[in-house]
Amino acid sequence: MIPELRTFVVAARTESFAATAKAIGVTQSAISAQIRRLEEEFGYDLFERTGRSVTLTAAGSRILCQVEDILSAFEALRGASHLKPETELLRVGAISTAQTSLLAPAIAGLHLELLDLKVRIVPGTSMSLLDRLDAGELDAALIVRPPFGLMPYMQWHPVVQQDYVMVVPAHVEGADWRQILEGQPFIRYDSRSFGGRTLDRFLRTQGLSPHEVIETEDLHTILQMVANNMGCSIVPYIFAVSVVPNIRILPLGDQKIVRDVGVMTLRGRMTEGCKALIRYLEEASRSNMPHQ
């Protein structure tokens, strides 16, 4: 059942059987069959199927960490002691919005190329991950480009540039994003994050002071709040924006703002695994663009 367990983990990260099939290199029907076998073996559903996306059930969420531990133990039994010391572990920090659409498919491809490479994913905000990279606790950090100059011993590897868009509940009418912003409660993308600072500067230069009701760094939480009619927001146009139901997307017209997502590393500390990861992240960024 090891292949099925691996498929389960990738599907949990990508929230899409189609993306899982592309990452692993098999058909979507094969992915569905593997998940069905697991569900029959366990005796309960692992995913809720909604259109083109899937989300973990409560039971699926509970066992995810256990499955990852099982896979790690299995890899150890296969002979982890034979790994080259310099490539046995790749410690990657990643912001939440990059883990599903970029990091998960990139790591799936990475493992097909470097079968014995172990990857440890460390979640966090861009600033906290940058600090951990600086402290030597990470080999690479998948983050939003800092809005300040880089230290000379750090190196930036761009992956994707994401436009900001307004998201509103589907029932809210109108195409003037400014007018909607003035009339709707505003769910703010945390101004303490790098991406949130970009938005904060934009609102100030536009002379806008929306009625803020909630502030959070988690974009997936923002999207769910908008979908539940709690207000509007302005967020980076990530893949999840295009698939969440009950929201409408409005471009900001000529007032275009963007955030740059990429990998930060320390100069002179690039392993082959890290180089390969960046290559697969670039590939994932091209194949996981939001639906227009």
Side-chain angles (χ1 to χ4, degrees):
M1 299 296 284
I2 293 298
E4 287 84 355
L5 292 176
R6 287 196 179 112
T7 296
F8 167 69
V9 171
V10 175
R13 299 300 185 194
T14 62
E15 296 185 339
S16 165
F17 286 174
T20 301
K22 180 180 292 187
I24 295 177
V26 299
T27 64
Q28 186 172 343
S29 60
I31 297 298
S32 298
Q34 287 184 334
I35 296 300
R36 279 198 302 273
R37 283 197 295 272
L38 272 183
E39 291 176 330
E40 290 170 1
E41 183 70 23
F42 292 161
Y44 48 80
D45 291 339
L46 297 173
F47 291 96
E48 295 178 356
R49 284 90 165 161
T50 307
R52 302 174 68 172
S53 63
V54 295
T55 55
L56 287 173
T57 61
S61 295
R62 283 196 297 271
I63 71 167
L64 179 58
C65 289
Q66 293 174 272
V67 171
E68 290 175 330
D69 289 343
I70 290 171
L71 292 175
S72 295
F74 178 76
E75 292 302 325
L77 291 174
R78 291 179 63 194
S81 60
H82 298 300
L83 295 176
K84 296 179 181 179
E86 68 272 15
T87 60
E88 67 174 1
L89 176 64
L90 181 62
R91 303 164 301 171
V92 182
I95 55 175
S96 61
T97 52
Q99 291 181 28
T100 299
S101 60
L102 292 177
L103 189 58
I107 289 179
L110 181 66
H111 276 303
L112 294 177
E113 178 179 334
L114 302 173
L115 298 177
D116 293 325
L117 179 67
K118 179 180 179 181
V119 179
R120 177 180 297 158
I121 300 173
V122 179
T125 63
S126 293
M127 189 68 243
S128 66
L129 294 175
L130 194 63
D131 287 341
R132 297 190 70 168
L133 176 69
D134 191 25
E137 298 174 6
L138 296 174
D139 301 301
L142 180 58
I143 61 175
V144 176
R145 185 182 178 101
F148 45 77
L150 304 181
M151 299 300 291
Y153 54 83
M154 290 189 175
Q155 186 170 4
W156 176 251
H157 310 269
V159 171
V160 65
Q161 190 174 77
Q162 299 166 334
D163 293 337
Y164 282 68
V165 294
M166 170 171 276
V167 287
V168 300
H171 69 86
V172 174
E173 299 180 349
D176 188 331
W177 66 270
R178 288 174 175 272
Q179 188 174 22
I180 292 174
L181 189 64
E182 293 174 354
Q184 287 280 320
F186 186 59
I187 305 169
R188 180 185 281 274
Y189 179 25
D190 194 342
S191 57
R192 294 169 297 179
S193 67
F194 290 165
R197 293 182 198 180
T198 297
L199 174 60
D200 195 45
R201 288 194 299 271
F202 169 75
L203 293 174
R204 287 201 307 268
T205 58
Q206 296 296 311
L208 298 172
S209 298
H211 173 52
E212 298 175 20
V213 291
I214 300 168
E215 181 172 350
T216 176
E217 193 266 341
D218 193 315
L219 293 184
H220 293 90
T221 299
I222 291 175
L223 294 175
Q224 290 302 319
M225 288 178 176
V226 174
N228 283 280
N229 303 318
M230 295 178 64
C232 67
S233 188
I234 297 176
V235 297
Y237 194 19
I238 60 174
F239 181 79
V241 175
S242 65
V243 297
V244 172
N246 200 38
I247 69 171
R248 193 162 62 91
I249 303 167
L250 292 176
L252 301 181
D254 296 334
Q255 310 301 326
K256 183 177 180 180
I257 53 173
V258 300
R259 74 169 189 175
D260 293 306
V261 176
V263 177
M264 192 76 79
T265 61
L266 299 179
R267 293 187 184 275
R269 300 275 296 275
M270 286 277 286
T271 64
E272 290 304 313
C274 191
K275 293 176 183 177
L277 175 64
I278 293 172
R279 187 171 70 250
Y280 281 108
L281 284 169
E282 293 170 347
E283 182 179 314
S285 73
R286 293 189 291 269
S287 59
N288 285 278
M289 295 298 289
H291 303 312
Q292 298 297 327

